[in-house]
Amino acid sequence: MTDVQTRKLTRIQREKREVILQAALNAFSVHGLRGATLEKIAVEAGMSKPHVVYYFGSKDAIYTELLESLLEIWLSPLRDISPQGDPLAEILTYVRRKLRMSQEMPRESKLFATEILHGAPRTGASLSGDLKELVDEKADVISRWSAEGRLARIDPHHLIFSIWAMTQHYADFDVQVRAVLGAPDDAALFSDADAFLTDFFVRALRPTAT
Amino acid sequence: MTDVQTRKLTRIQREKREVILQAALNAFSVHGLRGATLEKIAVEAGMSKPHVVYYFGSKDAIYTELLESLLEIWLSPLRDISPQGDPLAEILTYVRRKLRMSQEMPRESKLFATEILHGAPRTGASLSGDLKELVDEKADVISRWSAEGRLARIDPHHLIFSIWAMTQHYADFDVQVRAVLGAPDDAALFSDADAFLTDFFVRALRPTAT
DNA sequence: GTCTATAAATCGATAGAC
DNA sequence: GTCTATCGATTTATAGAC
């Protein structure tokens, strides 16, 4: 390992790495790992191809670094679900934060989507390890809420899947969504989606009166 | 154009093309257009690389042919929603057929998912043309049902998006779903998903008593 | 129709000057 | 640290024998 990655970084080095990571995120999120080229990343980052390699060692290393550095942010809304909060409010907040992330971080959403779609060769261990642990923990919380009658009886794991699916759909398949809706502006689209999802989950999750 | 595609096909030619298309579907659905190689397709199809090219002209042509030939099947459940049927039953049937397609045709689901995720360069016109037309038509039907009080008041376009998202999630992100659930067998997973989705959409769509 | 051999292009990564 | 030039590997597609 002779790349700059393994040593202490100066401010300028950190900034350069950040520029490269942003350019790489643009490329990878649209074309995938194989489809994106070092050349395209270098041009967008405003430096030469060897210079990009100099900072990360390889194209693969940039991709892996992106995935790892974004994972915590990506999972934070789920992590923040609190057992002490109001059940319906906690879940609605989670849904809304995930939807807002689809609006504000569509590239990150697509990056994870392609990675998992292609079999998660770099993230497989993390999925069945840390992610499973986190989801199981929150699923337990939701189960308890259901058992206490504070939430409709519902399979907590599949509920979490449904939230992932519905919110990330607006980022991952935005081309299709916008084509079908006739290219609405961003604000209108996500405002409608927020209203829809809120209403949808309230109906599905409000405990039925006994 | 000198490939066999442009001429009338014998039975043997059709069968060979079908073998190639199946091998290509395996490769493209896992690795995407760029990630899949002609070599891998040829090996799996049991013939040489030039032979594969001989039958379709190019790797791109195989990919495009796959997308086009699968589109009708892929949209048929939506097309079959009948304005004459019972509203809730029609939509639940749609949800279940889409979920069954995720179980039985995961490769096709992933093929469309990667295509749209990467910006739908080959399908863009079809999305804002035929697909938009079909979705708008069915959205009108759902709107009428809502207006007549036979279904909850709900945004029909976003309802259709939510059905796409939740059902296709089980095919497109199956690696993640299985990792989080601890690798359940196929039958159990989709049986649970069916029960969850049925219950979920019944709650969300049943008209509220006035 | 089907193959082997290979051309042609692309792309990730390295060498070496400054 | 940063560049130009280029290597070497991969990969799509073609040439040409059978």
Side-chain angles (χ1 to χ4, degrees), chain B:
Chain B
M1 281 295 249
T2 56
D3 63 270
V4 78
Q5 200 176 357
T6 53
R7 301 195 298 276
K8 290 240 176 188
L9 305 179
T10 66
R11 183 182 58 83
I12 290 181
Q13 284 173 328
R14 277 199 309 277
E15 286 172 1
K16 289 235 167 186
R17 284 171 60 90
E18 191 51 38
V19 169
I20 294 171
L21 285 175
Q22 285 300 315
L25 179 55
N26 284 336
F28 287 141
S29 64
V30 176
H31 301 103
L33 172 57
R34 301 292 285 267
T37 65
L38 269 179
E39 164 119 28
K40 201 180 173 312
I41 296 172
V43 167
E44 191 169 326
M47 47 191 96
S48 67
K49 245 182 329 179
H51 203 182
V52 170
V53 174
Y54 168 76
Y55 266 94
F56 284 90
S58 74
K59 175 173 140 177
D60 239 83
I62 305 176
Y63 184 78
T64 305
E65 169 110 0
L66 266 178
L67 282 174
E68 285 176 3
S69 68
L70 292 170
L71 187 60
E72 272 314 298
I73 297 173
W74 201 245
L75 292 180
S76 60
L78 178 58
R79 194 158 266 133
D80 290 349
I81 291 179
S82 165
Q84 277 80 46
D86 174 69
L88 193 52
E90 287 291 326
I91 292 177
L92 287 181
T93 298
Y94 178 49
V95 170
R96 286 195 166 119
R97 283 188 63 186
K98 284 289 292 175
L99 181 63
R100 199 165 348 114
M101 286 177 83
S102 276
Q103 180 175 15
E104 293 168 0
M105 305 171 72
R107 299 172 306 167
E108 289 82 346
S109 186
K110 288 180 179 180
L111 187 77
F112 284 115
T114 48
E115 165 68 7
I116 295 169
L117 205 52
H118 291 3
R122 284 163 186 74
T123 2
S126 169
L127 291 184
S128 43
D130 293 350
L131 180 63
K132 176 171 167 44
E133 195 179 338
L134 175 62
V135 172
D136 282 345
E137 175 197 327
K138 298 305 178 181
D140 273 351
V141 172
I142 295 170
S143 280
R144 251 176 283 136
W145 286 337
S146 287
E148 294 165 2
R150 304 169 70 194
L151 208 65
R153 292 198 171 276
I154 198 165
D155 184 309
H157 286 97
H158 288 268
L159 171 62
I160 291 171
F161 294 153
S162 75
I163 295 171
W164 290 349
M166 292 176 65
T167 57
Q168 292 173 7
H169 187 87
Y170 290 99
D172 301 341
F173 305 117
D174 61 342
V175 175
Q176 181 172 253
V177 167
R178 286 167 202 280
V180 166
L181 291 179
D185 69 84
D186 212 66
L189 168 58
F190 279 94
S191 166
D192 286 356
D194 185 282
F196 172 83
L197 290 178
T198 301
D199 191 55
F200 201 73
F201 280 102
V202 166
R203 283 175 198 268
L205 293 175
R206 200 157 37 194
T208 41
T210 44

Side-chain angles (χ1 to χ4, degrees), chain A:
Chain A
M1 279 296 249
T2 56
D3 64 87
V4 78
Q5 200 175 356
T6 52
R7 302 195 299 274
K8 291 237 177 189
L9 304 179
T10 66
R11 183 183 59 85
I12 290 181
Q13 285 173 329
R14 278 200 308 278
E15 287 173 2
K16 289 235 169 186
R17 283 171 62 90
E18 191 51 38
V19 169
I20 293 171
L21 285 174
Q22 284 300 315
L25 179 54
N26 283 334
F28 288 142
S29 65
V30 176
H31 301 103
L33 173 57
R34 303 292 285 268
T37 65
L38 268 180
E39 164 120 28
K40 201 180 174 315
I41 296 171
V43 168
E44 192 169 326
M47 47 191 96
S48 68
K49 236 177 350 172
H51 203 182
V52 171
V53 175
Y54 168 77
Y55 266 94
F56 285 90
S58 73
K59 174 174 143 178
D60 239 83
I62 305 176
Y63 183 78
T64 305
E65 168 110 1
L66 267 177
L67 283 174
E68 285 177 2
S69 68
L70 292 169
L71 187 61
E72 272 313 299
I73 297 174
W74 201 245
L75 293 180
S76 60
L78 178 58
R79 194 158 266 133
D80 291 348
I81 291 179
S82 165
Q84 276 79 46
D86 175 70
L88 193 53
E90 287 291 327
I91 292 178
L92 288 181
T93 298
Y94 177 49
V95 170
R96 285 194 167 120
R97 283 188 62 185
K98 285 289 292 174
L99 181 64
R100 199 163 351 113
M101 287 178 82
S102 277
Q103 181 175 14
E104 293 168 359
M105 307 170 70
R107 297 172 308 169
E108 288 82 346
S109 186
K110 288 180 180 179
L111 187 77
F112 285 115
T114 47
E115 166 68 6
I116 295 169
L117 205 54
H118 292 4
R122 284 162 186 75
T123 2
S126 169
L127 291 183
S128 43
D130 293 350
L131 180 63
K132 175 171 167 46
E133 196 178 337
L134 174 62
V135 172
D136 282 345
E137 175 198 328
K138 298 305 178 181
D140 274 352
V141 173
I142 295 171
S143 281
R144 252 176 283 136
W145 285 338
S146 286
E148 295 165 1
R150 303 169 71 196
L151 209 65
R153 292 196 172 278
I154 197 164
D155 184 309
H157 286 97
H158 288 269
L159 171 62
I160 291 170
F161 294 153
S162 75
I163 294 171
W164 290 348
M166 290 175 68
T167 56
Q168 292 173 8
H169 187 87
Y170 290 98
D172 301 341
F173 305 117
D174 61 343
V175 175
Q176 182 173 252
V177 166
R178 285 165 203 281
V180 166
L181 292 179
D185 69 85
D186 212 67
L189 168 56
F190 279 94
S191 165
D192 287 356
D194 185 283
F196 172 84
L197 290 177
T198 302
D199 191 56
F200 200 75
F201 280 101
V202 166
R203 284 175 198 267
L205 293 176
R206 201 159 34 195
T208 40
T210 44

